[in-house]
Amino acid sequence: MKEQAVNGRPHWRGRLRAMGPGIMMASAAVGGSHIIASTQAGALYGWQLALIIVLANLFKYPFFRFGPQYTLETGKSLLEGYAEKSRVYLWVFFVLNLCATVINTAAVSMLCAAILSFVLPGEWSMNALSAAVLASAVLLLLVGPYRTVDGMSKIIMISLTLTTVAAVAVAAGKGAQMQPGFIEPSPWNLGALAFIVALMGWMPAPIEISAINSMWVSAKRKLEKVSYEDGLFDFNVGYISTAVLAVVFLALGALVQYGTGTEVKMAGGAYIGQLIDMYAQTIGEWSRWLVAFIAFACMYGTTITVIDGYSRTNMESLRLILRHPQRERSNRILAVWIIFAAASGLCVMLFFKGAVLAMLKFAMIASFVSTPVFAYLNLALVRKGKHRLQPWLMWLAWIGLLYLSGFTVLFLLNQSGMIA
């Protein structure tokens, strides 16, 4: 017994030290897809889309897992694997990643600014608040890129999880707020397909986050010795947390807003106000400021992880495209990409502010349409690894590919007018 206890301590210490990339992935995921999209799904359709959210998380699990798994096995990033398969894949990823960098940075920083506008006294310019959010995020990342994101993500995820679970528990105790005579709308028609596809596109996160997570694992291994098992444990904790939180946020919208007659505002910034009201109605008015702070911390954490993650993958993609002989990932080059992400996001807000919502929806749909391609690539890269894939994981991957590809084909046929 004594020997087992002694041997057990290093085992759990190692797992705790390995924690980081998976939690950072969770922090990046819970922004637009969870706080906004999941809650809106509950507010619009009640519990009807719960199965869609569960299946999206379930069937994407293998392909997100393959990112850290490939890096833990080979010491190489997923992007290096893409380059070895075909440079065409690398170019496609780089172009999509650049677009996502600009659009997502603008979107998440605008949501941060929207939350601040609810909290701060007086009238504030959204552009000024967004610029302040981006400037502070860049400063923090330039001081300590990986450690900053790692530390903040853990605090934010714990705070957000506790508060949201408490809000849903109180709301469940009160029961659904549906008005008598309310006619429940059905999402099972082609008119709702675009919303469902956008929801699944970022559920639990865009597919490029698998490559970003791979880069974070590489960065973590420079600071700590991370074993294969401990690295996968970290990933599973982060991924399962995001999946559970997606359902929790759906429950919040379904229990508090669905069927009440209140119009659901689809613009992310406008919906933030409704979201804060939901928490205040369920937990109590005293919680309004606490929830606003946690919501801001969550979106601020998402902003930082988005800027850091996309900057790392842009830097690595360009290095591989240019065939740089060295694995050059200096902080100086990363700093240039970080500044680019923030500056480009700010330019979108200043000059194309009215188009950000449309651009964000496009990014979510583009992410979903490209998911089957990169999902298959991730599977192909790990199939020949030294750790043989368990049969259940292989089956889940192939079923997931069929499910995601089927939805993609249906959506493309609908958009082309072949199915109306």
Side-chain angles (χ1 to χ4, degrees):
M1 294 292 290
K2 185 177 180 180
E3 184 180 359
Q4 287 178 350
V6 171
N7 291 336
R9 282 200 302 268
H11 171 70
W12 284 104
R13 284 177 184 172
R15 292 206 160 175
L16 290 174
R17 283 198 302 267
M19 298 292 284
I23 305 301
M24 290 158 63
M25 178 194 68
S27 180
V30 297
S33 65
H34 289 54
I35 289 181
I36 305 298
S38 286
T39 318
Q40 284 179 337
L44 289 169
Y45 300 110
W47 293 95
Q48 296 179 79
L49 293 180
L51 181 61
I52 289 289
I53 289 176
V54 170
L55 290 179
N57 282 281
L58 176 65
F59 289 140
K60 284 187 179 180
Y61 169 80
F63 312 115
F64 278 89
R65 170 187 164 128
F66 295 154
Q69 181 172 326
Y70 181 75
T71 300
L72 290 165
E73 277 191 340
T74 65
K76 298 186 289 187
S77 68
L78 268 183
L79 295 175
E80 290 174 288
Y82 294 166
E84 291 172 3
K85 281 287 183 182
S86 171
R87 295 180 65 80
V88 173
Y89 296 127
L90 188 61
W91 270 107
V92 171
F93 179 90
F94 184 52
V95 171
L96 289 174
N97 208 57
L98 276 177
C99 294
T101 301
V102 177
I103 297 171
N104 296 352
T105 301
V108 295
S109 58
M110 278 184 65
L111 288 174
C112 269
I115 298 172
L116 278 178
S117 68
F118 286 109
V119 175
L120 296 177
E123 295 291 329
W124 291 83
S125 165
M126 288 291 289
N127 289 340
L129 290 176
S130 298
V133 166
L134 288 173
S136 61
V138 168
L139 183 61
L140 285 171
L141 288 172
L142 293 182
V143 170
Y146 180 83
R147 292 188 185 276
T148 296
V149 187
D150 190 0
M152 287 190 66
S153 298
K154 293 171 183 174
I155 297 171
I156 289 167
M157 283 302 298
I158 292 172
S159 302
L160 179 72
T161 301
L162 292 176
T163 308
T164 307
V165 169
V168 170
V170 174
K174 293 181 178 179
Q177 305 299 306
M178 190 184 303
Q179 292 181 342
F182 173 71
I183 300 175
E184 299 190 55
S186 172
W188 312 118
N189 57 75
L190 292 176
L193 183 60
F195 177 81
I196 293 175
V197 166
L199 175 67
M200 290 197 297
W202 275 13
M203 186 56 61
I207 190 64
E208 59 265 23
I209 296 293
S210 63
I212 292 174
N213 194 21
S214 168
M215 299 293 296
W216 281 330
V217 171
S218 295
K220 179 71 173 182
R221 296 184 85 184
K222 291 181 180 179
L223 302 174
E224 300 278 357
K225 184 178 180 180
V226 180
S227 69
Y228 177 83
E229 292 76 14
D230 291 345
L232 286 185
F233 174 80
D234 165 62
F235 166 78
N236 284 328
V237 170
Y239 194 90
I240 293 171
S241 298
T242 62
V244 171
L245 273 176
V247 178
V248 170
F249 275 108
L250 175 90
L252 186 66
L255 291 169
V256 179
Q257 197 174 10
Y258 180 62
T260 60
T262 304
E263 180 187 359
V264 179
K265 298 187 178 185
M266 298 306 293
Y271 191 70
I272 286 292
Q274 289 188 321
L275 183 69
I276 294 174
D277 288 339
M278 282 189 214
Y279 282 93
Q281 290 169 21
T282 53
I283 301 179
E285 191 61 34
W286 63 269
S287 68
R288 182 179 295 274
W289 298 108
L290 174 63
V291 169
F293 172 76
I294 293 174
F296 170 75
C298 174
M299 288 310 307
Y300 189 66
T302 299
T303 302
I304 290 178
T305 50
V306 161
I307 294 174
D308 179 82
Y310 282 105
S311 298
R312 288 180 187 274
T313 45
N314 284 331
M315 176 182 69
E316 177 70 352
S317 298
L318 187 61
R319 179 189 77 82
L320 293 168
I321 287 172
L322 297 177
R323 300 179 187 273
H324 198 287
Q326 299 177 357
R327 292 169 61 88
E328 185 70 41
R329 298 194 186 102
S330 71
N331 285 339
R332 184 175 299 177
I333 297 174
L334 180 59
V336 171
W337 279 106
I338 287 171
I339 294 170
F340 164 80
S344 61
L346 185 60
C347 286
V348 167
M349 287 184 292
L350 293 176
F351 302 109
F352 305 100
K353 186 175 180 178
V356 171
L357 181 61
M359 292 168 69
L360 185 61
K361 187 175 181 180
F362 169 79
M364 295 171 80
I365 291 173
S367 174
F368 183 77
V369 171
S370 63
T371 293
V373 176
F374 289 104
Y376 175 76
L377 273 176
N378 291 0
L379 173 61
L381 288 175
V382 298
R383 286 188 69 185
K384 297 180 180 180
K386 64 179 181 179
H387 291 89
R388 183 178 176 84
L389 295 180
Q390 299 96 319
W392 69 266
L393 190 58
M394 281 294 297
W395 276 105
L396 186 59
W398 286 116
I399 295 171
L401 270 177
L402 288 174
Y403 176 83
L404 296 169
S405 300
F407 253 105
T408 301
V409 170
L410 178 63
F411 175 73
L412 292 176
L413 289 175
N414 175 248
Q415 292 297 297
S416 66
M418 297 179 68
I419 297 180

